[in-house]
Amino acid sequence: MRAARLIKMVLLLQSRPSMTAAELATELEVSERTITRDALALSEAGVPVYADRGRSGGYRLVGGYRTRLTGLARGEAEALFLSGLPGALRDMGLEDAASAARLKVSAALLPSLRDAPDSAAQRFHLDAPGWYQEPETPELLPPIAEAVWDDRMLSARYRRGDREVERELAPYGLVLKAGVWYLCARSGTAFRTYRVDRFAAVALAGERFVRDEAFDLPAFWADRAAEFARSILRGRIVVRLTEAGARRLPYVTDRAAAEEALAAGERDAEGRVTASLPVESEEVAFAQLLTLGAEAEVLAPDTLRARFAEAARGLAELYG
């Protein structure tokens, strides 16, 4: 534990001109007294740590000293490629590995380039969750992530509806979609997708599985996402849209379904298009198309048309 802290202290001092005891204590999560003892230990071991006294003083390395202890461990290297997802790293329990990797990379850079990580972080940031929601980290995400990284089999209990099922899974990859975590895993010979927050229990098995090198996580997820989007569109309605309504339709319902319906639709002399649109349900279609106002007119089914007519009467009474 102390050896790792001493190495991190050297790397910190190597990546910056100087640091105060308070700054080092904050970075290393120890007291300033511990920093003083660690600096003395490094000096006795031959590392030229020098302490400047006074208000603007601090610790620094002298004589152009550079350590060669910058090699990345495998876990650190893998975590480094996820460093643009700080929240995801924290949720999976990889924050420390990513921090160590970034520090080693910074220490290896030329002095003129050491501000590159901060410069990039101040210019680009990825915020994965959707608006108007506070994503919750699934309790079992860290052990599942560990199994994914280590190619370890998982014994799992998974909530499916109002019952639990037991599965032996080969966990291939994790996907974060709009703030929700999904596990892509092989169950038997079939690859399936599981919501991480629906796992009731998981246990890492001692045995490892051999990955299918042909498995492509991004391609698998894209196929499953498209398949899911198609599977929930079980209903169909007929709608007539103005030009403005046609432009806005892909933004209020499934984009692929909307674009396909518009392409196959028929236009009248006034520029309106009549389209047969796949929808999840009448309830969902009502909520989606209501945002288009008078730019969309439902022609069928009659039950949905009647619902819009009732809503229109209610709005007319409300606004006079």
Side-chain angles (χ1 to χ4, degrees), residues 4-319:
R5 187 176 72 242
L6 292 174
I7 291 173
K8 189 171 183 180
M9 183 174 175
V10 173
L11 291 173
L12 283 168
L13 293 174
Q14 183 173 310
S15 64
R16 306 179 194 181
S18 69
M19 295 183 69
T20 66
E23 290 172 336
L24 285 167
T26 299
E27 288 279 357
L28 300 175
E29 299 180 348
V30 295
S31 68
E32 292 185 33
R33 181 171 295 181
T34 298
I35 294 298
T36 301
R37 289 198 297 266
D38 285 353
L40 179 60
L42 287 170
S43 181
E44 291 174 348
V47 178
V49 178
Y50 180 77
D52 289 319
R53 305 296 179 182
R55 174 178 292 182
S56 59
Y59 291 94
R60 61 186 176 88
L61 295 175
V62 297
Y65 179 85
R66 295 184 66 78
T67 177
R68 295 182 180 273
L69 297 172
T70 53
L72 292 177
R74 179 177 180 83
E76 294 169 346
E78 292 171 336
L80 185 61
F81 286 99
L82 294 172
S83 59
L85 295 165
L89 284 167
R90 182 178 58 253
D91 294 346
M92 290 189 290
L94 297 172
E95 191 172 28
D96 289 343
S99 175
R102 287 192 297 269
L103 186 57
K104 289 182 178 181
V105 170
S106 296
L109 292 174
L110 293 172
S112 60
L113 299 177
R114 284 181 188 155
D115 67 338
D118 290 337
S119 176
Q122 292 304 318
R123 286 166 173 78
F124 300 99
H125 176 68
L126 176 61
D127 185 8
W131 290 102
Y132 314 120
Q133 56 179 298
E134 287 293 332
E136 294 185 2
T137 302
E139 181 180 351
L140 296 176
L141 177 60
I144 291 175
E146 181 182 347
V148 169
W149 284 114
D150 207 25
D151 293 343
R152 297 270 293 279
M153 292 294 294
L154 272 179
S155 297
R157 291 206 319 271
Y158 188 75
R159 289 186 290 270
R160 189 177 297 280
D162 57 355
R163 62 191 181 92
E164 290 185 1
V165 295
E166 294 187 358
R167 293 286 184 268
E168 295 294 321
L169 302 175
Y172 269 65
L174 286 162
V175 175
L176 177 59
K177 170 70 172 179
V180 179
W181 285 95
Y182 297 88
L183 173 67
C184 301
R186 190 183 69 224
S187 177
T189 59
F191 285 95
R192 304 183 188 279
T193 303
Y194 303 86
R195 277 186 61 140
V196 173
D197 58 6
R198 291 181 183 167
F199 281 101
V202 296
L204 277 68
E207 61 184 291
R208 287 181 168 82
F209 65 92
V210 178
R211 280 181 171 267
D212 180 354
E213 296 300 327
F215 178 81
D216 184 326
L217 179 60
F220 173 80
W221 177 257
D223 289 344
R224 288 304 169 93
E227 180 183 318
F228 173 76
R230 290 191 299 268
S231 71
I232 64 175
L233 300 179
R234 300 186 182 94
R236 188 170 289 272
I237 67 171
V238 179
V239 60
R240 182 159 55 206
L241 301 133
T242 65
E243 291 184 5
R247 286 195 302 270
R248 292 167 53 193
L249 183 66
Y251 298 97
V252 301
T253 185
D254 181 84
R255 178 181 290 271
E259 291 176 347
E260 184 177 332
L262 291 170
E266 297 181 359
R267 292 191 178 275
D268 60 22
E270 299 178 16
R272 298 178 300 179
V273 59
T274 299
S276 176
L277 179 69
V279 295
E280 185 175 343
S281 65
E282 287 191 21
E283 182 74 25
V284 172
F286 176 75
Q288 292 172 337
L289 296 182
L290 193 61
T291 64
L292 299 181
E295 307 298 336
E297 177 188 2
V298 172
L299 303 179
D302 291 339
T303 50
L304 184 57
R305 181 177 175 86
R307 187 167 182 177
F308 272 97
E310 182 181 352
R313 286 192 295 269
L315 287 171
E317 292 176 4
L318 180 63
Y319 290 101

